[in-house]
Amino acid sequence: DQQVKQNSPSLSVQEGRISILNCDYTNSMFDYFLWYKKYPAEGPTFLISISSIKDKNEDGRFTVFLNKSAKHLSLHIVPSQPGDSAVYFCAASGNAGNMLTFGGGTRLMVKP
Amino acid sequence: DAGITQSPRHKVTETGTPVTLRCHQTENHRYMYWYRQDPGHGLRLIHYSYGVKDTDKGEVSDGYSVSRSKTEDFLLTLESATSSQTSVYFCAISGRQVNQPQHFGDGTRLSIL
């Protein structure tokens, strides 16, 4: 049973508009959440994270929102750019070993 | 970019042969991880290490073994490769503090025929 789920395998957005990527989790012990971006033939690159003591974290065009009661997090990209086209993975951690559990990924396509 | 090098980057081999993948880091980080990426599954943890000669199993460890004799090197071995182990393998590292992001290498694409 997947503990972290990204229910949208793909998302298409027009350049300049907002991209919203969603992630749900089931394990209430998770207390640290991350988003990674992955281009083809490269490793995942860390994008942004949030601790469970917060409900929002912002870094430039990227904002992550955490709703603990709903066990849901989302990544907002504003404005979206063609270079943002990639696969985005959400991940969660809940132990001192920093082990991550990943969602299945969402492919974002930003059209010029 | 984090100093992580995976080798080889690509490998094709036959069922039943042993395969070893290498991960080398220059960051002196304590934690090292091996993941596999398959369509629809995201990345799944195979094994991880929390120090020299200290390793533990992850979610999908069957058929894999690891070794870490030096801080900078973490080896993943498939003793007798099977076609189900065809995948892209990623190594990651992270520091000692809790809630640090992991940083990934560029992966090894392994095909087992």
Side-chain angles (χ1 to χ4, degrees), chain A residues 42-111:
Chain A
E42 295 183 9
T45 301
F46 169 69
L47 201 54
I48 192 169
S49 64
I50 187 167
S51 166
S52 60
I53 63 173
K54 295 184 176 182
D55 54 19
K56 176 183 174 181
N57 189 26
E58 193 172 352
D59 183 0
R61 296 186 298 114
F62 303 92
T63 303
V64 56
F65 295 92
L66 176 63
N67 182 333
K68 290 185 289 295
S69 61
K71 294 189 175 67
H72 178 82
L73 65 155
S74 61
L75 175 68
H76 292 210
I77 306 173
V78 182
S80 301
Q81 299 173 354
D84 295 330
S85 297
V87 177
Y88 289 79
F89 292 100
C90 69
S93 173
N95 55 63
N98 291 334
M99 286 182 289
L100 297 179
T101 301
F102 282 83
T106 296
R107 181 177 302 278
L108 173 66
M109 293 163 284
V110 180
K111 297 179 178 178

Side-chain angles (χ1 to χ4, degrees), chain B residues 8-49:
Chain B
R9 292 295 315 278
H10 302 272
K11 186 172 182 66
V12 180
T13 190
E14 294 184 347
T15 301
T17 60
V19 177
T20 295
L21 308 183
R22 180 181 183 239
C23 178
H24 178 79
Q25 62 145 328
T26 58
E27 306 296 318
N28 200 35
H29 279 342
R30 178 181 180 184
Y31 290 93
M32 298 185 75
Y33 313 81
W34 277 108
Y35 292 88
R36 59 178 289 174
Q37 184 196 2
D38 303 291
H41 290 279
L43 286 86
R44 292 180 292 175
L45 182 66
I46 305 171
H47 281 279
Y48 68 99
S49 170

